[in-house]
Tab-separated table of all heavy atoms in Angstrom:
chain	number	residue	atom	x	y	z
A	102	ARG	N	-25.780	10.228	24.477
A	102	ARG	CA	-25.745	11.679	24.707
A	102	ARG	C	-24.720	12.328	23.766
A	102	ARG	O	-23.757	11.793	23.503
A	102	ARG	CB	-25.399	11.867	26.174
A	102	ARG	CG	-26.327	11.251	27.159
A	102	ARG	CD	-25.911	11.514	28.571
A	102	ARG	NE	-24.546	10.911	28.896
A	102	ARG	CZ	-24.327	9.697	29.221
A	102	ARG	NH1	-25.287	8.851	29.392
A	102	ARG	NH2	-23.010	9.288	29.533
A	103	LEU	N	-25.002	13.594	23.482
A	103	LEU	CA	-24.096	14.454	22.692
A	103	LEU	C	-22.999	14.901	23.647
A	103	LEU	O	-23.242	15.118	24.838
A	103	LEU	CB	-24.832	15.556	22.023
A	103	LEU	CG	-25.820	15.190	20.891
A	103	LEU	CD1	-26.527	16.416	20.387
A	103	LEU	CD2	-25.055	14.504	19.809
A	104	LEU	N	-21.915	15.275	23.062
A	104	LEU	CA	-20.773	15.930	23.799
A	104	LEU	C	-20.353	15.166	25.004
A	104	LEU	O	-20.079	15.686	26.104
A	104	LEU	CB	-21.243	17.334	24.232
A	104	LEU	CG	-21.735	18.244	23.141
A	104	LEU	CD1	-22.260	19.567	23.747
A	104	LEU	CD2	-20.752	18.491	22.027
A	105	ASP	N	-20.179	13.895	24.847
A	105	ASP	CA	-19.807	13.040	25.935
A	105	ASP	C	-18.420	12.452	25.738
A	105	ASP	O	-17.631	12.937	24.965
A	105	ASP	CB	-20.880	11.831	25.928
A	105	ASP	CG	-20.990	11.263	27.424
A	105	ASP	OD1	-20.122	11.472	28.256
A	105	ASP	OD2	-22.078	10.685	27.653
A	106	ARG	N	-18.018	11.456	26.549
A	106	ARG	CA	-16.698	10.897	26.645
A	106	ARG	C	-16.062	10.515	25.256
A	106	ARG	O	-14.864	10.900	25.007
A	106	ARG	CB	-16.696	9.692	27.534
A	106	ARG	CG	-15.412	8.903	27.541
A	106	ARG	CD	-14.242	9.642	27.993
A	106	ARG	NE	-14.107	9.827	29.443
A	106	ARG	CZ	-13.381	10.775	29.993
A	106	ARG	NH1	-12.620	11.560	29.287
A	106	ARG	NH2	-13.288	10.844	31.295
A	107	PRO	N	-16.782	9.995	24.263
A	107	PRO	CA	-16.174	9.817	23.002
A	107	PRO	C	-15.641	11.034	22.306
A	107	PRO	O	-14.616	10.994	21.676
A	107	PRO	CB	-17.279	9.159	22.127
A	107	PRO	CG	-18.205	8.514	23.175
A	107	PRO	CD	-18.136	9.424	24.409
A	108	LEU	N	-16.265	12.194	22.529
A	108	LEU	CA	-15.822	13.397	21.970
A	108	LEU	C	-14.562	13.826	22.630
A	108	LEU	O	-13.566	14.298	21.985
A	108	LEU	CB	-16.929	14.555	22.107
A	108	LEU	CG	-16.465	15.918	21.660
A	108	LEU	CD1	-16.084	15.954	20.222
A	108	LEU	CD2	-17.656	16.945	21.991
A	109	ALA	N	-14.456	13.655	23.931
A	109	ALA	CA	-13.207	13.971	24.582
A	109	ALA	C	-12.074	13.077	24.155
A	109	ALA	O	-10.887	13.573	24.007
A	109	ALA	CB	-13.384	13.822	26.169
A	110	ASN	N	-12.242	11.779	24.000
A	110	ASN	CA	-11.302	10.878	23.484
A	110	ASN	C	-10.848	11.295	22.120
A	110	ASN	O	-9.666	11.263	21.821
A	110	ASN	CB	-11.876	9.433	23.395
A	110	ASN	CG	-12.080	8.897	24.811
A	110	ASN	OD1	-11.565	9.419	25.768
A	110	ASN	ND2	-12.963	7.886	24.963
A	111	LEU	N	-11.763	11.663	21.307
A	111	LEU	CA	-11.433	12.098	19.890
A	111	LEU	C	-10.646	13.351	19.974
A	111	LEU	O	-9.610	13.456	19.155
A	111	LEU	CB	-12.744	12.317	19.078
A	111	LEU	CG	-12.561	12.879	17.671
A	111	LEU	CD1	-11.863	11.894	16.828
A	111	LEU	CD2	-13.892	13.219	17.083
A	112	ARG	N	-10.971	14.269	20.730
A	112	ARG	CA	-10.199	15.530	20.855
A	112	ARG	C	-8.765	15.223	21.260
A	112	ARG	O	-7.822	15.896	20.788
A	112	ARG	CB	-10.897	16.514	21.804
A	112	ARG	CG	-12.082	17.196	21.169
A	112	ARG	CD	-12.800	18.110	22.128
A	112	ARG	NE	-13.878	18.800	21.485
A	112	ARG	CZ	-14.872	19.414	22.103
A	112	ARG	NH1	-14.878	19.494	23.434
A	112	ARG	NH2	-15.790	20.042	21.417
A	113	GLY	N	-8.590	14.277	22.157
A	113	GLY	CA	-7.238	13.869	22.553
A	113	GLY	C	-6.496	13.350	21.410
A	113	GLY	O	-5.253	13.634	21.227
A	114	PHE	N	-7.061	12.516	20.626
A	114	PHE	CA	-6.397	11.883	19.376
A	114	PHE	C	-6.069	13.031	18.434
A	114	PHE	O	-4.904	13.038	17.945
A	114	PHE	CB	-7.363	10.891	18.720
A	114	PHE	CG	-6.733	10.201	17.522
A	114	PHE	CD1	-6.091	8.967	17.660
A	114	PHE	CD2	-6.792	10.773	16.265
A	114	PHE	CE1	-5.582	8.331	16.576
A	114	PHE	CE2	-6.221	10.202	15.201
A	114	PHE	CZ	-5.585	8.917	15.329
A	115	LEU	N	-6.962	13.948	18.180
A	115	LEU	CA	-6.731	15.051	17.264
A	115	LEU	C	-5.611	15.946	17.719
A	115	LEU	O	-4.721	16.313	16.969
A	115	LEU	CB	-7.925	15.871	16.989
A	115	LEU	CG	-9.152	15.084	16.417
A	115	LEU	CD1	-10.396	15.963	16.368
A	115	LEU	CD2	-8.814	14.608	15.029
A	116	LYS	N	-5.544	16.206	19.004
A	116	LYS	CA	-4.508	17.050	19.571
A	116	LYS	C	-3.167	16.399	19.416
A	116	LYS	O	-2.188	17.072	19.055
A	116	LYS	CB	-4.769	17.382	21.054
A	116	LYS	CG	-3.803	18.338	21.613
A	116	LYS	CD	-4.164	18.692	23.075
A	116	LYS	CE	-3.155	19.740	23.623
A	116	LYS	NZ	-3.439	20.102	24.957
A	117	ALA	N	-3.126	15.149	19.630
A	117	ALA	CA	-1.835	14.401	19.557
A	117	ALA	C	-1.257	14.399	18.090
A	117	ALA	O	-0.094	14.321	17.979
A	117	ALA	CB	-2.093	12.928	19.962
A	118	ILE	N	-2.161	14.457	17.130
A	118	ILE	CA	-1.613	14.451	15.691
A	118	ILE	C	-1.632	15.850	15.153
A	118	ILE	O	-1.329	16.022	13.944
A	118	ILE	CB	-2.408	13.486	14.809
A	118	ILE	CG1	-3.864	13.865	14.653
A	118	ILE	CG2	-2.217	12.089	15.357
A	118	ILE	CD1	-4.622	12.996	13.663
A	119	GLY	N	-2.034	16.891	15.885
A	119	GLY	CA	-1.926	18.298	15.430
A	119	GLY	C	-3.118	18.785	14.574
A	119	GLY	O	-2.913	19.691	13.842
A	120	ILE	N	-4.309	18.283	14.824
A	120	ILE	CA	-5.475	18.776	14.113
A	120	ILE	C	-6.329	19.542	15.063
A	120	ILE	O	-6.664	19.114	16.260
A	120	ILE	CB	-6.370	17.594	13.546
A	120	ILE	CG1	-5.481	16.870	12.465
A	120	ILE	CG2	-7.638	18.182	12.968
A	120	ILE	CD1	-6.331	15.671	11.895
A	121	GLU	N	-6.699	20.749	14.718
A	121	GLU	CA	-7.673	21.609	15.454
A	121	GLU	C	-8.799	21.936	14.595
A	121	GLU	O	-8.724	22.128	13.422
A	121	GLU	CB	-7.015	22.874	15.908
A	121	GLU	CG	-5.841	22.689	16.915
A	121	GLU	CD	-5.317	24.033	17.343
A	121	GLU	OE1	-6.087	25.140	17.290
A	121	GLU	OE2	-4.200	24.016	17.782
A	122	LYS	N	-10.002	22.040	15.224
A	122	LYS	CA	-11.231	22.304	14.459
A	122	LYS	C	-11.166	23.792	13.982
A	122	LYS	O	-10.729	24.704	14.756
A	122	LYS	CB	-12.421	22.176	15.371
A	122	LYS	CG	-13.811	22.391	14.677
A	122	LYS	CD	-14.915	21.896	15.566
A	122	LYS	CE	-15.388	22.983	16.521
A	122	LYS	NZ	-16.671	22.700	17.092
A	123	GLN	N	-11.522	24.006	12.736
A	123	GLN	CA	-11.531	25.337	12.200
A	123	GLN	C	-12.623	26.153	12.901
A	123	GLN	O	-13.643	25.684	13.297
A	123	GLN	CB	-11.882	25.326	10.671
A	123	GLN	CG	-10.848	24.536	9.822
A	123	GLN	CD	-9.580	25.306	9.492
A	123	GLN	OE1	-9.657	26.552	9.433
A	123	GLN	NE2	-8.489	24.663	9.552
A	124	GLU	N	-12.364	27.466	13.007
A	124	GLU	CA	-13.286	28.301	13.750
A	124	GLU	C	-14.672	28.342	13.175
A	124	GLU	O	-15.645	28.352	13.947
A	124	GLU	CB	-12.731	29.779	13.851
A	124	GLU	CG	-13.362	30.555	14.885
A	124	GLU	CD	-12.631	31.908	15.107
A	124	GLU	OE1	-11.421	31.855	15.456
A	124	GLU	OE2	-13.276	32.902	14.951
A	125	GLY	N	-14.876	28.319	11.944
A	125	GLY	CA	-16.184	28.444	11.310
A	125	GLY	C	-16.999	27.146	11.272
A	125	GLY	O	-18.117	27.119	10.770
A	126	TYR	N	-16.335	26.057	11.753
A	126	TYR	CA	-17.042	24.660	11.769
A	126	TYR	C	-17.878	24.615	12.970
A	126	TYR	O	-17.325	24.463	14.135
A	126	TYR	CB	-15.988	23.691	11.676
A	126	TYR	CG	-16.510	22.304	11.115
A	126	TYR	CD1	-16.423	22.037	9.813
A	126	TYR	CD2	-17.051	21.354	12.002
A	126	TYR	CE1	-16.863	20.797	9.349
A	126	TYR	CE2	-17.529	20.139	11.553
A	126	TYR	CZ	-17.434	19.864	10.250
A	126	TYR	OH	-17.908	18.721	9.768
A	127	SER	N	-19.212	24.581	12.930
A	127	SER	CA	-20.112	24.606	14.019
A	127	SER	C	-20.374	23.259	14.691
A	127	SER	O	-20.758	23.184	15.838
A	127	SER	CB	-21.451	25.274	13.610
A	127	SER	OG	-22.083	24.474	12.604
A	128	GLU	N	-20.129	22.188	13.948
A	128	GLU	CA	-20.475	20.849	14.499
A	128	GLU	C	-19.349	20.351	15.457
A	128	GLU	O	-18.128	20.775	15.205
A	128	GLU	CB	-20.544	19.848	13.324
A	128	GLU	CG	-21.761	20.071	12.374
A	128	GLU	CD	-23.036	19.831	13.039
A	128	GLU	OE1	-23.213	18.901	13.819
A	128	GLU	OE2	-23.942	20.658	12.851
A	129	PRO	N	-19.632	19.598	16.407
A	129	PRO	CA	-18.587	18.969	17.236
A	129	PRO	C	-17.633	18.001	16.394
A	129	PRO	O	-18.059	17.602	15.383
A	129	PRO	CB	-19.314	18.190	18.363
A	129	PRO	CG	-20.740	18.330	18.053
A	129	PRO	CD	-20.952	19.110	16.853
A	130	GLU	N	-16.531	17.862	16.908
A	130	GLU	CA	-15.529	17.036	16.178
A	130	GLU	C	-15.906	15.589	16.037
A	130	GLU	O	-15.436	14.969	15.088
A	130	GLU	CB	-14.148	17.052	16.930
A	130	GLU	CG	-13.558	18.417	16.868
A	130	GLU	CD	-13.886	19.280	18.137
A	130	GLU	OE1	-15.005	19.171	18.686
A	130	GLU	OE2	-13.052	20.056	18.627
A	131	ASP	N	-16.885	15.107	16.794
A	131	ASP	CA	-17.298	13.673	16.577
A	131	ASP	C	-18.476	13.606	15.625
A	131	ASP	O	-19.012	12.483	15.534
A	131	ASP	CB	-17.621	13.036	18.000
A	131	ASP	CG	-18.888	13.609	18.669
A	131	ASP	OD1	-19.334	14.709	18.254
A	131	ASP	OD2	-19.481	12.844	19.482
A	132	SER	N	-18.758	14.595	14.901
A	132	SER	CA	-19.799	14.390	13.773
A	132	SER	C	-19.126	13.503	12.732
A	132	SER	O	-17.878	13.550	12.571
A	132	SER	CB	-20.159	15.743	13.239
A	132	SER	OG	-19.153	16.371	12.404
Side-chain angles (χ1 to χ4, degrees):
R102 296 179 305 274
L103 292 175
L104 308 175
D105 208 339
R106 173 57 79 199
L108 177 58
N110 293 340
L111 175 63
R112 285 177 175 164
F114 183 95
L115 296 175
K116 184 175 182 178
I118 63 172
I120 295 179
E121 291 182 25
K122 183 170 86 167
Q123 299 282 325
E124 195 168 303
Y126 199 93
S127 61
E128 295 291 320
E130 294 91 327
D131 69 339
S132 73

